[in-house]
Amino acid sequence: NAGVTQTPKFRVLKTGQSMTLLCAQDMNHEYMYWYRQDPGMGLRLIHYSVGEGTTAKGEVPDGYNVSRLKKQNFLLGLESAAPSQTSVYFCASSYLQWSAEQYFGPGTRLTVT
Amino acid sequence: GENVEQHPSTLSVQEGDSAVIKCTYSDSASNYFPWYKQELGKGPQLIIDIRSNVGEKKDQRIAVTLNKTAKHFSLHITETQPEDSAVYFCAASRVSYIPTFGRGTSLIVHP
């Protein structure tokens, strides 16, 4: 089992450019999450999904969109990147919705100049 | 919503010493309290968790205690080793609510 994988690992964007981060999990988990991690801020939930075809907003959803077309994949999109979106992005999945262990991917380091 | 405060933000200890990280939470309905360890360049990984019906849980050198009345829980690491150096996050959650993470503690274990 690969667990949770994320692509790409690193990316540099210019302000206004768009990109999609891909998360894949092979554990057959229903629940998937996207977090951003900034220095001194811990992990903040951007969007989450409780199953294929469903998504919901988290704590900091502005400027991001997500899609869950397949159970194993959860995509995070930035339509028009801003310097404030410079961060490390983590995807996670779990077999129960909230009160359960979350399995995290290795992260994507995004820099917006 | 839930508010989780974690202290200290940085903790420096000598190898072999004990380390304690504390978290407080605000929502008395929270019932699941995991601790994650994040090594440099990697994603967080669960190391231990506790549910609200238990006061203490141990796993080798790691233990977590929960005081529901005071709404705080702590991570205890005994006989620290250099490989324990990492960032540790606490979290609090309840059914159907977004989990809230603490801001993290950077633990440095000096050989």
Side-chain angles (χ1 to χ4, degrees):
Chain A
N1 282 351
V4 179
T5 57
Q6 292 182 233
T7 53
K9 288 184 169 54
F10 303 94
R11 186 73 186 269
V12 178
L13 287 179
K14 294 185 178 180
T15 298
Q17 288 184 320
S18 63
M19 78 163 294
T20 300
L21 283 67
L22 173 63
C23 175
Q25 53 95 4
D26 61 3
M27 296 173 283
N28 202 34
H29 287 169
E30 288 289 340
Y31 308 100
M32 297 187 74
Y33 318 87
W34 274 107
Y35 292 91
R36 60 178 289 173
Q37 184 177 41
D38 302 294
M41 296 297 292
L43 291 160
R44 292 184 292 170
L45 186 65
I46 304 170
H47 285 281
Y48 63 97
S49 170
V50 300
E52 182 178 317
T54 70
T55 62
K57 294 180 179 180
E59 180 185 357
V60 288
D62 294 343
Y64 306 95
N65 56 76
V66 289
S67 64
R68 183 108 180 260
L69 298 180
K70 293 182 179 181
K71 184 176 183 179
Q72 63 268 34
N73 295 338
F74 195 26
L75 278 64
L76 178 70
L78 285 74
E79 290 186 348
S80 180
S84 61
Q85 294 178 304
T86 293
S87 187
V88 181
Y89 292 86
F90 288 101
C91 176
S93 71
S94 65
Y95 72 99
L96 291 177
Q97 186 169 2
W98 299 120
S99 300
E101 175 179 4
Q102 293 190 18
Y103 294 80
F104 285 83
T108 295
R109 183 173 293 276
L110 175 66
T111 302
V112 183
T113 61
Chain B
E2 176 69 278
N3 181 45
V4 176
E5 295 192 0
Q6 182 173 347
H7 298 283
S9 56
T10 305
L11 180 58
S12 183
V13 301
Q14 289 295 128
E15 182 176 0
D17 287 350
S18 295
V20 180
I21 303 170
K22 299 180 179 180
C23 287
T24 60
Y25 62 99
S26 60
D27 187 350
S28 57
S30 288
N31 59 2
Y32 177 64
F33 307 93
W35 285 91
Y36 290 85
K37 176 183 181 182
Q38 184 178 24
E39 297 177 341
L40 195 62
K42 297 183 178 180
Q45 184 173 14
L46 182 77
I47 54 172
I48 195 167
D49 56 11
I50 192 168
R51 298 188 185 273
S52 57
N53 59 346
V54 175
E56 183 177 5
K57 185 176 179 181
K58 291 182 179 180
D59 183 3
Q60 299 183 358
R61 297 186 295 108
I62 294 173
V64 56
T65 58
L66 171 66
N67 184 325
K68 289 192 297 181
T69 303
K71 289 189 284 189
H72 68 70
F73 56 110
S74 299
L75 177 70
H76 305 255
I77 305 175
T78 59
E79 300 173 18
T80 53
Q81 301 168 3
E83 51 265 39
D84 294 329
S85 296
V87 178
Y88 292 82
F89 291 96
C90 65
S93 69
R94 53 182 285 199
V95 174
S96 299
Y97 279 72
I98 297 172
T100 302
F101 284 81
R103 295 192 174 193
T105 296
S106 178
L107 174 64
I108 303 166
V109 180
H110 298 280

